[in-house]
Amino acid sequence: QGQLAESGGGSVQAGGSLRLSCVASGLSISDYCMVWFRQAPGKQRHERLGVASINKDDTTTYADSVQGRFIISKDNAKNTLYLQMNSLTPDDTAMYYCAADSTYCGRWYGHPRHYWGQGTQVTVSS
């Protein structure tokens, strides 16, 4: 059974940067479409926002709110997904999750995913 494990979250001041990691086990991320989601405080699970995705061919997409600030990447040899977050604002405060699906590469939360991680908290103070 595959698993995803996020790390790298923490507390940072506005304008700062963080890099999140998502290590996969029991699956090869090269065979999956990978997405970073976030769930802001007070939001429900179904309101998770897909902030960035990377396809099997390394095509990336971003939510408008993070375009130009966040960079999604992956290292297939390390079986690890990354999210470089720059110019952070308090609006980026959320629990961040990585997810994997073998066929669906969109950022819409409503589509089921094969695997989800447990999340890593990011808090940005002003």
Side-chain angles (χ1 to χ4, degrees), residues 53-55 57-62 72-73:
S53 69
I54 185 165
N55 294 358
D57 63 359
D58 291 344
T59 301
T60 58
T61 71
Y62 296 92
I72 188 171
S73 63

Side-chain angles (χ1 to χ4, degrees), residues 9-29:
S11 296
V12 64
Q13 288 192 327
S17 299
L18 284 173
R19 188 174 84 153
L20 306 184
S21 299
C22 169
V23 178
S25 57
L27 70 147
S28 295
I29 64 170

Side-chain angles (χ1 to χ4, degrees), residues 5-123:
E6 303 93 336
S7 64
S11 296
V12 64
Q13 288 192 327
S17 299
L18 284 173
R19 188 174 84 153
L20 306 184
S21 299
C22 169
V23 178
S25 57
L27 70 147
S28 295
I29 64 170
S30 59
D31 296 332
Y32 287 80
C33 296
M34 304 297 296
V35 182
W36 283 101
F37 287 88
R38 70 185 184 190
Q39 184 173 343
K43 297 291 188 180
Q44 300 299 311
R45 183 185 178 105
H46 68 274
E47 297 176 279
R48 288 181 184 178
L49 172 68
V51 296
S53 69
I54 185 165
N55 294 358
K56 300 173 190 180
D57 63 359
D58 291 344
T59 301
T60 58
T61 71
Y62 296 92
D64 289 345
S65 56
V66 307
Q67 180 75 47
R69 300 188 299 121
F70 289 13
I71 301 172
I72 188 171
S73 63
K74 61 181 180 175
D75 186 330
N76 290 334
K78 295 183 178 181
N79 220 19
T80 301
L81 176 73
Y82 301 101
L83 185 67
Q84 177 66 43
M85 305 187 296
N86 303 318
S87 302
L88 286 162
T89 76
D91 288 342
D92 295 316
T93 294
M95 185 72 81
Y96 284 74
Y97 301 87
C98 60
D101 196 81
S102 61
T103 57
Y104 181 66
C105 299
R107 289 183 283 104
W108 180 51
Y109 173 76
H111 196 285
R113 313 280 168 166
H114 284 111
Y115 302 106
W116 282 91
Q118 293 299 306
T120 186
Q121 177 68 40
V122 171
T123 302

